[in-house]
């Protein structure tokens, strides 16, 4: 996925999801009520593994990757993503990928 932010920018909690994710995914997130990265992290932390159910067209794999990317951006967003809450409800643990630059989450292309 090509992000709309330059490599010099880092994600902030108040940023629109449209600033970081492809148009289709960001539209679906916004339709589900998650218009900012902060709202998305709050939903993930409050709900756990089922956070993505109201988002049309997103599945387990994309949801896990999105959570992992948000987890990797905790320093810049100032919002902790509670992976423990997610793992407590899973049959298999969330894979921890090596840290990636904020501007390159390549897995958020349109289905």
């Amino acid at each position: 996925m090509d992000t709309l932010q330059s490599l010099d920018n880092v994600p902030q909690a108040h940023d629109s999801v449209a600033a970081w994710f492809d148009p289709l995914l960001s539209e679906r997130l916004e339709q589900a009520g998650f218009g900012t990265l902060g709202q998305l992290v709050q939903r993930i932390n409050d709900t756990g593994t089922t956070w993505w159910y109201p988002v049309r067209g997103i599945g387990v794999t994309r949801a896990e990757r999105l959570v992992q990317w948000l987890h990797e951006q905790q320093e810049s967003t100032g919002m902790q993503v509670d992976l423990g809450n997610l793992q407590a409800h899973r049959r298999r643990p969330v894979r921890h990928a090596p840290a990636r630059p904020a501007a390159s989450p390549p897995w958020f292309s349109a289905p």
Side-chain angles (χ1 to χ4, degrees), residues 46-95:
D46 288 350
T47 310
T49 56
T50 60
W51 75 265
W52 54 273
Y53 284 7
V55 184
R56 189 173 53 89
I58 189 172
V60 173
T61 300
R62 185 173 286 173
E64 287 176 350
R65 289 176 179 165
L66 193 148
V67 168
Q68 184 62 42
W69 183 81
L70 288 167
H71 177 73
E72 292 165 1
Q73 309 317 313
Q74 291 180 126
E75 187 174 326
S76 66
T77 64
M79 296 192 68
Q80 182 175 346
V81 178
D82 186 1
L83 293 179
N85 184 29
L86 295 170
Q87 290 177 334
H89 297 93
R90 293 184 48 79
R91 283 179 251 141
R92 58 187 171 98
V94 173
R95 286 177 252 136

